[in-house]
Amino acid sequence: MDKRERLRVQRQHLRKARSRDAAQKRGSVDRQLRAWEKLEAAQQALDARAYEEAVEYAQAAVTLVPRDSYAATLYVAAAEKSGNSRHYIASLEHLISIAPPSFPALVRLAQLHCGAGNLERAAGLATEARLIVPRRLAQRRQWLAALEGVERAVANRVALRADTPQRELPFARPLTSPAPEATRFSPASVPPTVATAESPPDESTSAAALTPAAPAPTTATSAPRRNLEIPITVAADVVGLDALSGTAASDLNEVTLALLATELRDAESFDRLLAVERAQGLLRLSHQEETVRKTLSVLLGRALLADEVGLGKTIEAGLILSEYLLRGRVRSALVLTPPSLVGQWREELAAKFDIAARTTEDAAFRSDPLRWWEEPGVIVASLPTARSERHRHAVTGRPWDLVIVDEAHTLKNHRTEAYALVQSLQSRFLLLLTATPVENRVEELYNLVSLIRPGHLGGRQAFVRSFATNNGQLTETARGEIRNLLSEIMIRNTRALSGVHLPPRFARTLLVQPGREEHALYDYLAAALRSLATTGRARLLLSTLLQEAGSSPQAVRGTLEKVAGDESLSEAVRGDLASAADFARRATGSEKTRALLQAVQGSPGATVVFTRFRGTLAFLAEALAREGVQHECLHGDIPAAARAGAIDRCRQAGSVLLSTDVGSEGLNLQFCHRLINFDLPWNPMRIEQRIGRLHRIGQEHPVEVVNFCLAGSIEERILGILDERINLFELVVGEVEMILGYLDSPREFPELVLDAFAEHDEVDRARSFARIADALAAARERYRTVKLFDEALFRNELGV
């Protein structure tokens, strides 16, 4: 290697070293700043007597600056005030680990360990305290008496365990008679440490400076020392109901205190998830339950849930909402979603968690929106509706206990009205749900995190200078720093680590040539659509008629009869509709129905057949009955209990289940692995939701999807686009929604395909559908790029 090359390599190593040092310094400074923010929050919580919150903040600060004595001492003060012995023990253990332990700290910690039953540790601490007994110490006699009490209690309890190896020591059982001082102690009877909210420690406070504050006087006993014959365990954490269970009778005060203690313990402990126990039809997945626990206990109800598509972010958010409702910590909640997901959220909350939510699709919302927003309970609203000028002030003018924002990547730009709305909401808890937190710039991540915890990532300009340069091409060091910052606020589970893997699914389309009457019926409806020059009610009506005609003549017949005399329609449209109604009356059969009979008779076994329309459902039920095919029907008017019974019968008999989309809401149909779409919704998300009823977690077999499509219909065009350009039937359930979100069009997908089909000339129609196909392909490519960017940024390090 020549001299020039050696110099180049040395300069390169020097630049890397400088960059690494600078990153470490930035990280150190940032950790210090975040630690002081948490310490300030802990002190404020202490002042407000919110001791549990103070412990959480102080614990987080200790994690950030583990060698800081001020943080350690404040942690002790918060833990002592909270009354939680586990936190108190942990805080004192941390304090004596970072500084030479003081005699009072060792004695106090020995007491706590003894009370918790950790005799070995208590004995070790007592021995260590004996070695450093100071000659001069305020209340020296009291501290020595406390140490002797610990030593006697440890010795007595060890002796009891040796004498009665087969007996279980009772837990916090009340004594029937006073115990001698030799065998009786409680944390309250021994001098506490001085770190309290009333006298906050200064920066110079250390373990050596701990002194007792107004210790309770010890009472000497003249009775000779003796051991009780009654085994006793002193417990720091008392479960109220367990304490009552050991007595034959209790007075009213004891019962009231026990119930209050139990309620307080349950309200703050999330080891047991009440929502999981009450959920209906929910498969228990470890990554979902651990996400809920971490969000509740560590992230304190403010989190960015960014699981990969298909892992159940909606379920996790629903469990968190249900848990807070069951514990009485949430009385008013707001769920903000895209318009297309309002109904789906209402369905999921009702079916799985028994939560009755009001939505912006309800009639009560339209009649009196101001009162509707003010009422307590759970509200599911579309984000565009909530941010509109008419409703924004009602949404932001009241406090919410919990706010959930689905598809939160729509908030990536902090200059939008949607972002301003969420930023101005008053909420104690906040959940942001998105599978793609970053789309192309890490500044978008800064915007989302700032909604949850302002200032967590530092100042915007400093963050942008550090991480948003070079067109988003981050070094691995920078990615690591971002992941460390996000670990306190974000959870992202991946399939690789969650163990969620679905069997494959296979799709095929059966193109059915319509009969003479069906062909004429569809042609007249298409002619009526193309004769319209404007949008409006007539266009919406014809859209519905075309979807019904694509299903069956029986579905469209009733609607045609209702609108036959509508004088608001033009004469040309009424003429086409009259002709269409005539052919609908003549059509007594359906070519698709014959194809369905061949499919179910040729391949027996459990099969789910979906249709959008009740007229088609009734016609198919009659056709299957005539052929002797065993079947069950589901639709919106069938009660939930009856739906469950129909599914059980289909599962046992391997029969056909005919269902509308509404009839299958909230149901899991994994028992079946064959799905027939008798008709196809124009919205791809509806198709995906049907598939998701079968192809979901818990499905053990490959899923077969068969699409029946009428030749020459809009559905044929839609299927061609979705299958060829985005491989609809190969996507993970949930990805279609992501792809459609990247369409560069203010109009919904069904409106785009209706406009294309309304073109008068076939060449123009083909050109319009080609533009839609190209836009979909571009949207999928953009989604793929975003997915790769997020995978490289987050990797697998933020899951539970």
Side-chain angles (χ1 to χ4, degrees), residues 529 532 535-545 547 754:
L529 172 68
L532 292 173
T535 60
R537 176 180 173 274
R539 177 65 67 94
L540 179 61
L541 170 63
L542 287 168
S543 170
T544 302
L545 290 170
Q547 292 178 67
L754 182 64

XYZ file of all heavy atoms in Angstrom, residues 529 532 535-545 547 754:
116
model
N -76.755 4.926 -17.716
C -75.629 5.605 -17.068
C -74.918 6.532 -18.047
O -74.592 7.679 -17.717
C -74.642 4.561 -16.527
C -73.316 5.088 -15.989
C -73.542 5.885 -14.714
C -72.336 3.948 -15.729
N -76.335 10.076 -18.934
C -76.294 11.153 -17.948
C -75.134 12.094 -18.240
O -74.032 11.660 -18.546
C -76.139 10.590 -16.533
C -77.334 9.799 -15.982
C -76.952 9.175 -14.652
C -78.536 10.708 -15.797
N -73.219 14.408 -12.498
C -73.257 13.508 -11.346
C -74.461 13.867 -10.482
O -75.227 14.764 -10.814
C -71.969 13.638 -10.527
O -71.861 14.995 -10.089
C -70.763 13.268 -11.351
N -74.608 13.172 -9.381
C -75.685 13.484 -8.462
C -76.491 12.245 -8.123
O -76.014 11.113 -8.193
N -77.751 12.474 -7.739
C -78.594 11.375 -7.277
C -78.783 10.315 -8.350
O -78.739 9.110 -8.071
C -79.948 11.941 -6.841
C -80.944 10.862 -6.432
C -82.268 11.454 -5.997
N -83.250 10.396 -5.782
C -84.000 9.874 -6.734
N -83.875 10.314 -7.988
N -84.881 8.914 -6.463
N -78.988 10.712 -9.592
C -79.209 9.734 -10.661
C -77.975 8.863 -10.863
O -78.083 7.645 -11.057
C -79.577 10.450 -11.953
N -76.785 9.456 -10.796
C -75.558 8.675 -10.951
C -75.412 7.664 -9.812
O -75.040 6.505 -10.031
C -74.360 9.624 -10.986
C -72.997 8.973 -11.072
C -72.791 8.211 -12.369
N -72.751 9.093 -13.512
C -71.626 9.589 -14.036
N -70.466 9.262 -13.518
N -71.675 10.373 -15.075
N -75.720 8.073 -8.582
C -75.652 7.165 -7.439
C -76.657 6.029 -7.587
O -76.355 4.868 -7.289
C -75.919 7.944 -6.147
C -75.903 7.135 -4.848
C -74.530 6.500 -4.628
C -76.279 8.020 -3.664
N -77.857 6.360 -8.071
C -78.884 5.337 -8.268
C -78.433 4.300 -9.293
O -78.552 3.089 -9.067
C -80.187 6.003 -8.717
C -81.305 5.061 -9.193
C -81.757 4.150 -8.069
C -82.469 5.863 -9.748
N -77.894 4.748 -10.405
C -77.457 3.828 -11.443
C -76.259 2.995 -10.981
O -76.109 1.841 -11.383
C -77.116 4.603 -12.715
C -78.355 5.127 -13.464
C -77.943 6.117 -14.542
C -79.124 3.976 -14.085
N -75.420 3.567 -10.128
C -74.321 2.795 -9.569
C -74.854 1.620 -8.753
O -74.378 0.480 -8.883
C -73.451 3.696 -8.679
O -72.514 2.943 -7.957
N -75.877 1.878 -7.943
C -76.482 0.804 -7.149
C -77.125 -0.242 -8.049
O -76.968 -1.451 -7.828
C -77.532 1.385 -6.195
O -76.913 2.357 -5.341
C -78.157 0.289 -5.338
N -77.844 0.207 -9.087
C -78.513 -0.731 -9.998
C -77.501 -1.615 -10.724
O -77.723 -2.827 -10.900
C -79.361 0.040 -11.005
C -80.625 0.722 -10.437
C -81.239 1.646 -11.475
C -81.639 -0.323 -9.992
N -74.527 -2.515 -9.652
C -73.977 -3.492 -8.707
C -74.981 -4.613 -8.441
O -74.593 -5.786 -8.339
C -73.600 -2.778 -7.409
C -72.419 -1.823 -7.568
C -72.091 -1.077 -6.295
O -71.647 -1.669 -5.315
N -72.313 0.227 -6.298
N -66.497 3.809 -11.877
C -67.805 4.165 -12.448
C -67.643 5.234 -13.519
O -68.288 5.162 -14.585
C -68.728 4.666 -11.337
C -70.163 5.022 -11.782
C -70.886 3.773 -12.285
C -70.941 5.665 -10.639
